[in-house]
Amino acid sequence: MKLVIDFIFRPKTSYPDSWKPAFVAMQLGFLAGALGLLLRDLFIIYTIENWELVVLTELAFGVVVGIGFLLHTLGRAALGVLIACLGGIGSATAFLILLGWNGYFHLWYLNLAILLIAVPINIWIKSCLALSFISLYVFMFFFYSNAQPIVAADELVLQLIGMSNIIGSLLMLGLPMGLYSHYLVEERIKSERLLHNIIPKDLANILRESDGVIALDNPNVSVMFADIVGFTQLAEKMSARQVVDLLNKIFFKFDTICEEYGIEKIKTIGDAYMAVSGLPRPRQDHAQSLIDVGFEFLETIASQDFGLEDPLQIRVGIHSGDAVSGVIGKSKFSFDIWGDSVNLASRLQTSGKPGFIHASQETVGLIDQRKLNIEKQVVNIKGKGEITSYLIQLRSKSKVGDIK
């Protein structure tokens, strides 16, 4: 059964990419049509005395539609749909001649014309075919709408058949289009989620309505870099998969922490993690929140077993100040942040001490220091010279939540 379901509902590798969003919907439309055909034929057999010609004619055209279904299933999407539509038009025309206009088979001219317009076939081919279906509909209306049917049937039977065609029309068009619309909504949500993973949600909304260039002045932000100590040497002893798995495990936890604190992750650079607080929306506690996140990072690394011979350690550098942020690039664009604050945070991380947060004087002046051990020092920073900075640890028995 699983093989049958996979064969019917899993698109083949040869199936066109432009058709794939509608594959399941189209398959369900085919199956609904087949079920409707069988039920209608059974009804005709039990209600119409001379049913043979009607049923055999429909089964003949049903075979044509079935060939279209098989081709569609095997990946020949356009050819399959075209053949199925031609089979459907032939069936509708035969029914109009055999049973008359009151069976509402003429609805299929419109249904199949609309279906052709909706699918991604060459515009000239589907336009010509759709126009020919409508033209045939008009021809049948003028010359056969009042004609005497070849096979006699009770009026009630024709009304019930007409009702089945109305319901079938709704299923044939409504089911595929409804599923396709649902798929489009889901794909839009996925696309937005992916976009929000690249750039902040507020900026994503701006980007959709702009020319693709976003530049923001951020007067009060805090920038953090966290780097794994000795990772280059560690990676040399590991396979590529082990390296990626380790980084993914660490950065997944860092991502979760940033989400909890409302911190904006900017990017990862090798084994370094960059985050910023205070953008795209300003916040007064930008320095405090990032200090809290830094301690969460340190605690996470210290408390987790990563299956390594030696425990991992990280250095954390944080600086508070001004920065410029924006979205750049034509392909694989990204949200980034630049400025002296970024450079200084990076230098503080590099010159920091494993297991400590190395913060600038500007950052320390903005945070609650009561639960912290703060060691003042003077460091030489490239491009800055000697500056005053601070190595920060939580006091013993204190927790990150105590300083919030």
Side-chain angles (χ1 to χ4, degrees):
M1 178 60 70
K2 185 178 183 300
L3 291 175
V4 174
I5 292 175
D6 286 345
F7 177 76
I8 294 175
F9 292 110
R10 188 182 297 277
K12 308 300 179 288
T13 54
S14 59
Y15 196 80
D17 290 337
S18 59
W19 286 68
K20 284 182 179 177
F23 176 77
V24 174
M26 293 291 291
Q27 294 293 85
L28 287 173
F30 274 116
L31 294 176
L35 178 62
L37 180 148
L38 292 175
L39 293 176
R40 183 168 58 228
D41 283 350
L42 288 174
F43 178 74
I44 289 174
I45 289 172
Y46 282 103
T47 57
I48 297 178
E49 184 175 354
N50 299 317
W51 55 265
E52 292 87 352
L53 181 59
V54 178
V55 172
L56 291 175
T57 301
E58 177 163 48
L59 288 177
F61 284 109
V63 170
V64 176
V65 176
I67 293 172
F69 168 69
L70 183 60
L71 288 170
H72 181 267
T73 304
L74 293 174
R76 301 295 299 276
L79 181 60
V81 169
L82 289 175
I83 291 176
C85 286
L86 291 174
I89 290 295
S91 177
T93 304
F95 266 116
L96 287 173
I97 295 173
L98 293 172
L99 292 177
W101 199 262
N102 291 340
Y104 283 87
F105 290 97
H106 55 275
L107 291 176
W108 291 102
Y109 293 122
L110 295 175
N111 293 340
L112 296 174
I114 294 171
L115 180 64
L116 269 181
I117 294 297
V119 296
I121 298 176
N122 180 277
I123 184 66
W124 293 107
I125 294 176
K126 66 183 182 182
S127 297
C128 290
L129 283 174
L131 184 60
S132 67
F133 292 173
I134 300 300
S135 300
L136 184 57
Y137 176 31
V138 173
F139 174 82
M140 295 298 293
F141 174 76
F142 281 110
F143 292 97
Y144 281 91
S145 59
N146 295 315
Q148 188 69 23
I150 295 175
V151 178
D154 293 339
E155 187 63 27
L156 178 59
V157 171
L158 290 176
Q159 289 176 354
L160 291 173
I161 291 175
M163 186 177 298
S164 75
N165 279 317
I166 293 172
I167 295 172
S169 299
L170 292 174
L171 288 175
M172 184 70 180
L173 286 179
L175 186 61
M177 291 188 176
L179 287 173
Y180 188 52
S181 297
H182 177 70
Y183 174 87
L184 290 178
V185 171
E186 287 189 335
E187 287 302 303
R188 181 183 176 186
I189 293 173
K190 289 180 183 178
S191 297
E192 288 186 349
R193 189 179 297 121
L194 283 172
L195 183 60
H196 297 161
N197 282 338
I198 300 172
I199 61 177
K201 183 177 180 179
D202 293 346
L203 299 186
N205 296 332
I206 297 173
L207 185 62
R208 278 196 294 264
E209 301 171 1
S210 69
D211 59 1
V213 178
I214 297 177
L216 301 174
D217 289 317
N218 309 107
N220 295 293
V221 296
S222 291
V223 183
M224 176 182 70
F225 283 86
D227 185 80
I228 303 172
V229 178
F231 187 81
T232 301
Q233 292 77 13
L234 176 65
E236 291 175 352
K237 305 173 185 178
M238 304 169 69
S239 67
R241 181 58 186 266
Q242 289 174 322
V243 171
V244 173
D245 285 346
L246 177 60
L247 286 176
N248 182 64
K249 187 175 182 180
I250 295 171
F251 291 158
F252 182 88
K253 294 180 182 297
F254 287 3
D255 288 346
T256 302
I257 294 169
C258 286
E259 288 175 4
E260 291 175 354
Y261 281 81
I263 301 301
E264 192 67 41
K265 171 188 175 182
I266 301 299
K267 58 186 173 183
T268 59
I269 311 165
D271 60 303
Y273 190 99
M274 179 184 177
V276 62
S277 178
L279 67 80
R281 294 184 179 181
R283 54 188 295 179
Q284 292 182 345
D285 65 339
H286 58 87
Q288 185 65 63
S289 61
L290 208 54
I291 288 288
D292 294 342
V293 167
F295 282 127
E296 290 278 14
F297 282 13
L298 292 171
E299 185 176 318
T300 296
I301 295 297
S303 62
Q304 294 291 320
D305 181 12
F306 294 100
L308 302 173
E309 294 181 4
D310 299 316
L312 286 179
Q313 289 184 303
I314 62 171
R315 291 187 302 264
V316 177
I318 299 178
H319 174 64
S320 303
D322 303 337
V324 174
S325 63
V327 177
I328 58 171
K330 179 180 180 182
S331 61
K332 296 184 180 180
F333 60 86
S334 63
F335 175 71
D336 211 340
I337 180 171
W338 309 271
D340 187 61
S341 296
V342 177
N343 295 331
L344 185 51
S346 176
R347 302 294 185 206
L348 288 169
Q349 176 275 126
T350 303
S351 59
K353 186 177 179 181
F356 288 77
I357 293 177
H358 193 196
S360 67
Q361 189 168 0
E362 289 79 0
T363 299
V364 171
L366 296 171
I367 63 175
D368 185 352
Q369 304 176 23
R370 289 172 294 177
K371 300 290 183 178
L372 304 176
N373 285 326
I374 300 177
E375 178 185 338
K376 183 178 179 180
Q377 61 177 12
V378 176
V379 293
N380 194 305
I381 298 294
K382 182 180 179 181
K384 286 284 186 180
E386 291 187 347
I387 67 167
T388 300
S389 63
Y390 300 85
L391 291 173
I392 307 174
Q393 271 189 324
L394 281 174
R395 290 180 182 173
S396 62
K397 298 183 180 181
S398 295
K399 298 181 180 179
V400 179
D402 296 336
I403 61 170
K404 294 180 186 177

